[in-house]
Amino acid sequence: MLQRGLLVGAIFIAALVVAACGGSGGGASRSDATIAGAVATVGAGSAAPPGRTDAQAEATSRIDAGGASPVQAGVPAIDCANLVVTPAQTEGPYFKSGSPERTSLIEPGTTGTRLTLTGYVVDTNCRPVAGALLDFWQADGSGAYDNSGYTLRGHQYTDENGRFELETVVPGPYPGRTRHIHVKVQAPGGSVLTTQLYFPDEPGNGRDGIFRPETVLQNVQQAPNGSMIATFTFVLDTN
Ligand code: FE
């Protein structure tokens, strides 16, 4: 009896310890989830776990545009009712063919504000374009291009849902140009769309004759860790 009593007591104490650790651990992981949630919402692209935290749900709802399809967990919906064919814009003098295939342009030593850009390539019927080529190139945080190598240059392909994700830095403006990211987009077997993406509320936008409001990044937000997140949907006229 004595042994059984000791055993029950030990189990009881162990249960108390586990409960106490779980309580304090939960508090710590909630703040982590707030940071991770805001970034992972747009950054990771993985399906939200069934037990998604309130913080993650909140982050998602802030970014979700509402309406429309196709929707992946944590990625803003496409506003299919208001599609605007993405306009072509000048290539500029700094394009180089042969960029490496990669979704992150971040390399050791890359400076500047981190930017995670996610989005879709769709056709004018709002159908996702799988396997679309996206070839990005841009200036660094101080407005300089790497014209001898491939720094801040890279290409990738949309997944089966027409989705892409780019890890990069916010480009700096340079004389005569507001902040922008160059990109070539091409559906499989389609023609190449060359265009540029812009940042909202930039003082230089109004002074840049090339700037187009149709290609301003959407859902631009600053994550708690200081990095930026944004989305863009490319609409290709494949007719
Ligand atoms: Fe440029």
Side-chain angles (χ1 to χ4, degrees), residues 27-144:
S29 67
R30 182 176 174 89
S31 65
D32 290 348
T34 304
I35 296 169
V39 176
T41 296
V42 192
S46 56
R52 194 166 68 166
T53 66
D54 291 345
Q56 286 171 313
E58 188 180 299
T60 303
S61 65
R62 280 203 309 272
I63 300 171
D64 278 358
S69 65
V71 180
Q72 267 189 296
V75 179
I78 300 170
D79 187 2
C80 289
N82 295 293
L83 290 184
V84 176
V85 173
T86 305
Q89 297 179 70
T90 180
E91 177 179 284
Y94 301 126
F95 174 70
K96 282 178 68 176
S97 61
S99 73
E101 181 175 351
R102 54 182 176 177
T103 59
S104 176
L105 307 184
I106 305 293
E107 298 178 66
T110 300
T111 60
T113 302
R114 295 288 195 270
L115 169 67
T116 300
L117 171 62
T118 58
Y120 293 97
V121 176
V122 301
D123 65 16
T124 48
N125 294 313
C126 210
R127 289 179 302 216
V129 180
L133 169 69
L134 294 151
D135 195 352
F136 294 97
W137 74 103
Q138 66 169 85
D140 65 14
S142 59

Side-chain angles (χ1 to χ4, degrees), residues 1-53:
M1 279 301 283
L2 180 59
Q3 280 185 330
R4 187 176 176 194
L6 286 172
L7 181 61
V8 170
I11 291 172
F12 180 69
I13 290 169
L16 283 178
V17 170
V18 168
C21 291
S24 63
S29 67
R30 182 176 174 89
S31 65
D32 290 348
T34 304
I35 296 169
V39 176
T41 296
V42 192
S46 56
R52 194 166 68 166
T53 66

Side-chain angles (χ1 to χ4, degrees), residues 91-94 137 139 145 174 177 180 182 196:
E91 177 179 284
Y94 301 126
W137 74 103
Y145 286 87
Y174 55 89
R177 293 306 318 277
H180 61 280
H182 296 268
Q196 303 184 28

